[in-house]
Structures are given as C-alpha cells and as structure tokens.
Amino acid sequence: MAKKYLITSALPYVNGELHLGHLIGCWLPSDVYARFCRACGRDVLYVCGADEHGTPAVVGAAAENMPVIEYNNKYYEKHLRAVRDFNLSFDLYGRTHTEKQEKLIHELFSRLDQLGLIEERETIQPFSIDDNMFLADRQLVGTCPKCGFDGARGDQCDKCSATYEATELINPRSTISGSNKIEMRPTKNLFFLASRVEDTWKDWLATHTPKWSHSAAAIARGWANEGLRDTSITRDLPWGIPVNKPGYQNKVFYVWFDAPWGYVSISQAANENWADWWHGGDDVHYAQFMGKDNVKFHAVFFPEQQLAMNDNWKTVDMLKAMNFLNFEGGKFSKSQKRGIFLDSAITVAPADYWRYALLANAPETDDNDFTIARFADVVNKDLIGMLGNFVSRVCKLTAKNFGNNVPNAGAPDPELESQINEKLAELTSALDACEFRAAIAALRGLYAIGNEYMTKCEPWALVKNGDMAGAGQCLNECFQLIDLFARVSAPFIPNAAEKMQAIFADKHDLSWPTKYEHRVSDGVEFTVPENLFNRIDDETVLKLTEKYAPKQDENIPTPIVAEITDVKNHPTRDDLHILTVNTGADTVQIVCGAPNVRVGLRGVLAPVGAKLPGMKKTLAQRTVAGVESYGMMCSPSELGIGDDGDKIIELDENTEIGGKYKC
C-alpha cells in the first residue's frame, strides 16, 4: 500500500467559460477520489489550476480587447468561483503564470539541454502576410487532414483529436484577420529529441497501461505503434514563459512543454514538502484525471520528459481518461447558447445534484449525451426516492413515537450486516479502481438495502400493534444506516453527508468505513432535518430544456453514398479498420469491423445525427477502442433491405458520391 497519494486534475485553459463537460471530464472524478482517499486516512496532495499560456489566452484576450494578464485574471476568478460552487477539495487551485512555474521550466529545460536532448532545427511555419507575423497553433485554422473537419486548429483537430504539423493543414487561414494569404516560411525552433527516449518510454508504458482506464490505455498504445516524434518546444508568441537560451529571447516555450509541469509548481505552492510526493518513488501512488483529448500529452509528452531527465520524477500510476459529454444531442456551445455552463448550473440546482447525476452517467467507456430529463430522473429516483425519503421517514417516525432520542438497539442482524459489508466492499473496490459509474451503482445498492430493511421490519406496524421495543430496535438500526450513508456518500455529495451527520447531537467523523459499524449510541438526541433534496418536476424540466437546449430548425442528416479512400489497421484491434471516407463534400473518419472494406468501395454512410430503420436513437459520434468514429458504413440489415449484418453494402462504382440514399 502506498504511503502517499498524489492526485492531479487536468488544467483547464483559462480562456472561456467552463461547462458540465469540464466538471465530469476531470474535476469531479478527481475530487471524489481525493475525498475517498482522505477519508481512508491516506496522505493526499491534490492539485489543479488554470493553464494560462499558449495561443488560447492570446486569441481570447484579443477578442475581448484586453491585455492578456487581465483577461487571464478575469477567467481565473471564474474558475475559482466554480471550484467553490461545486465543493471541489483541491489543496490548491493554482495557475501556471507564476514565478515558481517560470523558474521550474527554466531549470527543466536546462537539464534537458545539458543531457543533449535539445536540438535547434529550421522549420517551415505558417506566416500570415496580412498580419505580418508567424502564426501559432490557435492562430491558424483550416481543414483537418485526417477527418476533413473545417475548423481544425494549427496543431490539433477538436473533432477527431488528431495531431499534425501546421504544414499539413488544408486551406489554412488566420484567426486574427481571417486572411488566407498564408505562406510557409523558414524559422528556427528548439526540439525535444523524444526519439532518443522512445525505448525507455515504451518499456515504461508496457508496465503502466494495464492499470489505466481502457480509453487512456488504447490511446497511448496507438502512439506507441506510431513511434515518438521529436517535438518543437518553442513558439513565436508574445505571451508565455520566455526561452532561457541565447538567440531565443523573443520566443516562448510551447504550452504543452510548460503546462504539465504546472502540477509540480502548484504543488510547490501548496505544500512545502511537495518533493515527498514528486520524488517519492514507489511510496507514492500518482493518479491523473483528464478528458480523452489530453491523454496524448499526459501519457506521452509529460512522462517522456520525466523519464529523460532521470531525476526520479514520479510518473503516473493510474491515468483515468473520460470520454466526451455531449448535451441534448449536440456539443456544448456558448455562442449557440447550447448547454449548461457552470455559472448557470449552480443556479439551476445545488452542487450535490450535479455531482451525483453526472457521476451516475459518467462517460467512462463512450461519449455520453446529457439530457435535463435524465438528470431530473436520477435526482428524483436516487437522491430523493431512496436516500432523502429514508432519512426523513426514519427521523419523523421516531420523533412521533419515541421523541427526539434514538431508541435502544436490539440484537445484531447478521443478514443485514452481511449485505451491507458485501456492498461496501464493492463500493470501496470501485473507488480504488476509479470506476465511478460502478461506484454510484454500489452506493445506490447500499441505499436500497436500507429501504428494503425498513420495509421488511415495518416499524410503523410494530408501533400500531404495541411492540414498541421491536419498533425501537428497527429504528435504531435505521439510524445506524443513516450514519453509514453519510460516510459513504461524503465523497460524492458532501453537503448532504454533512447534513446527515448533523442530525445527531453526538458528532462522528466521516471517515471511510471498512465494515458496518454501530456508532450511534442509544438515547442520543437527534434533530428532524429539513428535506435533504427537493424534487425536480416535469414543468421545471420542460422550462430548462427550452432555455438551454432550444430546438433548432435543422435538417436531420440522412444516409448518403460515400467512397472509401483509405484503409488502415486499427492500432489495438485486429478485427477493426480505420477508414477515410469521401462524402463528396469532405472526408470523415470511420471505425469499421466489416470484412469487405477496401479502397474504392462505394457504400452507404450514415453520418452523425442520422437515424436508421429500427434505431431508437440518432447515430452519435463514438470512441471505438480509443479511436474516434464519425458515423457508420452501413450493412444491408442496418438499412432495412436484407439480413446481412456483417458486410457493408457495396454499390455500383458509377453511383454518385454525396447523393442521398433512401432506406
């Protein structure tokens, strides 16, 4: 068992508003795990903070006509407010634009340079003639060379998560002026020679990925199959950490060389003994939490630097990656007024509601679609119907018949204790493994055991029949369960847990139970609490849906004729292929398991948003074994025209690409 636990949550960019996807993508899972570890008595250092450098801040500040530091301060304060609103228990929510961060990055760069792992190279970079400047990654947009998305950034596509060189971007244009007068001109940059540590990194990866979440491991192994590229770590930008090397004073470090080390500088600010975690070796368990789009940087870029320095830096043990959370069938978009952002969410419902409902439907294995109706259903059924009602019934029934003192206990109930201990072990195991949907299922199971016990012993009937001792014994057991529910609920819904413990005049801690204990003394005074939760009614659901997910007059995508232009083997699955498919208007990436795929095959593509015969839901973007898929190449059975569900349909080679296919 590790002696110390280091927990980091991915640093969100300081630009723009944060939404529910950010909350479930890294903040909530890491917070639940940190609270659980502390409750178990573990020595925890838990940090996060705002990522302040790179082009996002420069572009955002320019859009709001503010100096970059003022812009960063504005959004950092919004981050801090969200941290408080949703009861996130970071030891410190810091930031990367600090003296500590600059000093650390300069020291680390010098170390890599001394080891011969930094090399100057002349590269070809996009230069905007109209802006008279080299363009950094987010100052350039165009068409993704991998999936055809026309809105991809200069180094990474937000749609398919592909990374590439700026020279590979199709039809590039400046985000500053909108100009498409882009020339590729030579400039000098510094490169980290990642290829020199590839073998060391691959050996490390092979021993670590078995402990990671499935999505994280699949993405990392895909990079291992591709091999490591030497990476440019400097940029022509006016904002960031200046490069501490002669001749490079006018450049700054690439944000992804800088940002992951923010975990360390924030730790330095949070705890004077920070090195006990970051250089603690096997005595430390390090868990990282992030969205799947950040895996490449945490599984590849960050650890390859740590390993290259050979300075006993603590590398990640558990890398937990969440898939994407969509909203009511689409993506979160502030500009399109789609989605609930965190500043609004806390006015819609208390933090505990969001914490529980988001974790109950966490996008751990696939991208998930959040709906307000499902949110209300989870809150009403679980928090109100199972937990809130149990606490209320026990307290009110006891106060009515016994006064405000816990009745005397009876003989232990071995069957109940066995059920509780079995489910408690399940919950503990799920949290140790960072499996949050499974943890919520086990927590719900504990609530169910309590309700079933009360229904079985019927204390109201015992009172009616004059068996006050029997009724008192049953209610005593129920108070013991309230104490247990407070302890096991605390990592998930901390406000409600505190309210449950506040029922008792004799205070107990919220430490994690290893087994079912009877901690509530006979006769202790208790208070009948206000309702722990309030119901979300149908009218409220309707109003919230109309406000945050207004119906848009859009044509529903229909199946179209498309041609496979490229076929690649899947990096981790022998039975799958990655297809590039020409739709006539653009190209999309599809993951397909059909045995008859080939270049030149014309078939039927069902794009994201389409609905096929027999499908209850529209087709969604999916992550298949770590690779994004934007639609489906259809079999005859999926189109409702035959029984063959294995092979994709093959059309005549003269069939017009891009034409609608009528099912």
Side-chain angles (χ1 to χ4, degrees):
M1 176 67 73
K3 295 179 181 178
K4 292 183 179 293
Y5 283 73
L6 175 62
I7 304 170
T8 60
S9 180
L11 311 179
Y13 275 129
V14 79
N15 67 310
E17 303 285 352
L18 299 174
H19 53 65
L20 298 177
H22 294 104
L23 190 59
I24 189 57
C26 52
W27 275 3
L28 266 186
S30 60
D31 184 66
V32 169
Y33 184 65
R35 286 176 177 274
F36 163 69
C37 287
R38 292 191 191 108
C40 290
R42 300 169 184 174
D43 195 0
V44 171
L45 179 59
Y46 173 39
V47 297
C48 187
D51 181 0
E52 298 191 77
H53 297 139
T55 48
V58 176
V59 172
E64 296 194 24
N65 195 28
M66 298 173 68
V68 178
I69 188 61
E70 291 183 15
Y71 174 86
N72 284 12
N73 289 341
K74 170 186 173 181
Y75 284 98
Y76 178 64
E77 288 302 317
K78 291 192 174 189
H79 284 209
L80 289 177
R81 186 175 65 202
V83 167
R84 292 191 295 268
D85 284 344
F86 291 93
N87 293 317
L88 303 170
S89 62
F90 301 117
D91 289 306
L92 178 64
Y93 188 84
R95 54 198 303 180
T96 58
H97 192 65
T98 64
E99 292 182 5
K100 287 184 184 293
Q101 177 76 352
E102 182 171 320
K103 181 176 182 290
L104 176 66
I105 295 302
H106 284 171
E107 290 173 350
L108 297 170
F109 169 75
S110 297
R111 169 70 173 161
L112 292 173
D113 200 13
Q114 291 165 5
L115 291 170
L117 294 170
I118 302 295
E119 183 175 282
E120 180 181 272
R121 293 182 185 178
E122 185 173 270
T123 60
I124 304 299
Q125 296 293 321
F127 185 89
S128 171
I129 295 173
D130 289 339
D131 298 312
N132 192 33
M133 62 182 288
F134 284 101
L135 299 179
D137 307 319
R138 293 204 180 206
Q139 293 170 320
L140 190 71
V141 295
T143 302
C144 174
K146 307 292 185 180
C147 74
F149 172 58
D150 187 32
R153 293 185 269 130
D155 66 336
Q156 182 179 354
C157 177
D158 286 335
K159 185 174 181 182
C160 72
S161 298
T163 56
Y164 39 75
E165 297 298 326
T167 52
E168 299 178 71
L169 200 64
I170 301 167
N171 300 323
R173 56 193 181 275
S174 166
T175 61
I176 300 171
S177 62
S179 173
N180 61 1
K181 295 179 181 178
I182 307 296
E183 288 184 354
M184 296 297 167
R185 295 185 179 181
T187 184
K188 289 184 178 180
N189 275 298
L190 298 175
F191 278 69
F192 168 60
L193 303 182
S195 57
R196 297 268 187 92
V197 296
E198 181 172 353
D199 290 342
T200 302
W201 172 77
K202 283 185 173 179
D203 290 343
W204 171 85
L205 193 71
T207 61
H208 283 67
T209 50
K211 306 169 190 175
W212 296 1
S213 67
H214 176 77
S215 294
I219 293 170
R221 288 172 184 142
W223 275 80
N225 291 338
E226 287 188 17
L228 297 186
R229 297 181 183 181
D230 296 339
T231 310
S232 172
I233 60 169
T234 56
R235 292 291 187 271
D236 292 282
L237 266 182
W239 174 256
I241 293 180
V243 179
N244 54 319
K245 189 175 179 69
Y248 283 84
Q249 292 88 339
N250 294 328
K251 294 180 187 281
V252 299
F253 284 109
Y254 174 42
V255 66
W256 277 111
F257 178 75
D258 154 25
W261 292 100
Y263 299 132
V264 178
S265 70
I266 295 170
S267 297
Q268 291 173 335
N271 192 307
E272 63 180 8
N273 298 317
W274 64 274
D276 292 347
W277 281 269
W278 282 102
H279 292 291
D282 292 339
D283 284 343
V284 178
H285 179 79
Y286 182 12
Q288 293 177 348
F289 295 82
M290 70 206 65
K292 65 181 177 182
D293 52 333
N294 280 338
V295 169
K296 63 180 73 67
F297 301 107
H298 291 78
V300 185
F301 208 50
F302 187 31
E304 71 188 13
Q305 294 168 32
Q306 292 179 293
L307 295 167
M309 291 179 201
N310 197 28
D311 282 337
N312 193 36
W313 283 105
K314 180 61 188 177
T315 57
V316 62
D317 295 301
M318 160 54 80
L319 198 157
K320 179 69 176 184
M322 288 288 187
N323 290 285
F324 293 146
L325 184 74
N326 295 319
F327 183 84
E328 296 281 358
K331 290 194 173 183
F332 286 86
S333 172
K334 192 79 170 181
S335 61
Q336 297 177 21
K337 297 182 179 179
R338 168 171 285 277
I340 301 180
F341 287 70
L342 298 190
D343 55 348
S344 298
I346 201 65
T347 67
V348 169
D352 279 355
Y353 294 34
W354 296 110
R355 291 175 64 101
Y356 185 93
L358 287 169
L359 288 161
N361 293 285
E364 289 183 293
T365 53
D366 293 293
D367 295 346
N368 272 8
D369 188 43
F370 177 91
T371 69
I372 294 169
R374 190 177 304 125
F375 167 69
D377 188 56
V378 170
V379 170
N380 292 339
K381 286 183 177 178
D382 288 9
L383 294 183
I384 297 174
M386 300 185 74
L387 178 59
N389 281 349
F390 178 81
V391 172
S392 179
R393 291 166 68 202
V394 170
C395 292
K396 288 179 178 178
L397 185 61
T398 305
K400 179 181 178 181
N401 295 286
F402 294 88
N404 287 80
N405 296 92
V406 174
N408 292 336
D413 186 327
E415 182 182 353
L416 176 65
E417 291 192 11
S418 176
Q419 287 180 308
I420 290 288
N421 287 333
E422 182 179 346
K423 192 60 66 175
L424 179 59
E426 185 181 320
L427 172 57
T428 303
S429 177
L431 285 172
D432 263 325
C434 298
E435 298 292 342
F436 297 99
R437 282 206 313 248
I440 288 285
L443 182 64
R444 186 188 298 118
L446 285 168
Y447 299 159
I449 291 170
N451 279 278
E452 289 164 5
Y453 172 78
M454 192 175 185
T455 299
K456 180 181 176 182
C457 71
E458 296 184 306
W460 52 89
L462 294 173
V463 167
K464 185 177 180 180
N465 294 331
D467 186 1
M468 298 303 290
Q473 291 173 14
C474 174
L475 291 168
N476 180 286
E477 198 76 63
C478 290
F479 277 110
Q480 307 298 340
L481 289 171
I482 290 174
D483 173 58
L484 175 76
F485 291 169
R487 299 170 75 184
V488 295
S489 300
F492 305 91
I493 46 175
N495 281 345
E498 292 285 354
K499 288 178 181 178
M500 282 188 274
Q501 276 295 6
I503 289 170
F504 304 105
D506 187 5
K507 301 299 182 187
H508 293 283
D509 60 35
L510 289 169
S511 60
W512 192 258
T514 56
K515 63 180 180 179
Y516 183 33
E517 299 173 275
H518 290 64
R519 302 196 306 174
V520 180
S521 302
D522 292 354
V524 69
E525 187 177 349
F526 72 91
T527 303
V528 179
E530 297 291 328
N531 289 339
L532 294 180
F533 313 98
N534 293 311
R535 182 176 178 78
I536 304 174
D537 58 33
D538 293 343
E539 183 180 354
T540 301
V541 170
L542 181 61
K543 287 181 179 178
L544 292 174
T545 303
E546 289 176 349
K547 181 177 181 179
Y548 293 106
K551 291 183 179 179
Q552 300 177 358
D553 295 328
E554 298 180 77
N555 293 323
I556 298 175
T558 58
I560 58 173
V561 177
E563 182 180 71
I564 300 173
T565 58
D566 187 41
V567 179
K568 292 181 179 177
N569 293 328
H570 192 282
T572 61
R573 289 274 297 276
D574 294 338
D575 59 330
L576 296 175
H577 292 90
I578 303 171
L579 313 180
T580 301
V581 180
N582 177 19
T583 68
D586 57 14
T587 59
V588 296
Q589 177 174 284
I590 303 292
V591 179
C592 182
N596 62 323
V597 296
R598 58 179 170 80
V599 173
L601 184 152
R602 292 194 182 184
V604 178
L605 170 71
V608 172
K611 192 172 182 180
L612 296 175
M615 289 179 60
K616 293 182 179 180
K617 297 181 179 180
T618 56
L619 197 64
Q621 172 190 336
R622 297 176 59 218
T623 304
V624 183
V627 178
E628 296 300 305
S629 186
Y630 299 92
M632 180 170 66
M633 292 300 288
C634 302
S635 68
S637 66
E638 289 161 341
L639 294 170
I641 58 173
D643 297 327
D644 189 351
D646 296 326
K647 296 181 179 179
I648 58 176
I649 193 169
E650 298 191 35
L651 303 177
D652 186 274
E653 62 181 14
N654 295 319
T655 308
E656 182 183 357
I657 297 174
K660 291 185 178 180
Y661 183 88
K662 293 183 179 180
C663 295

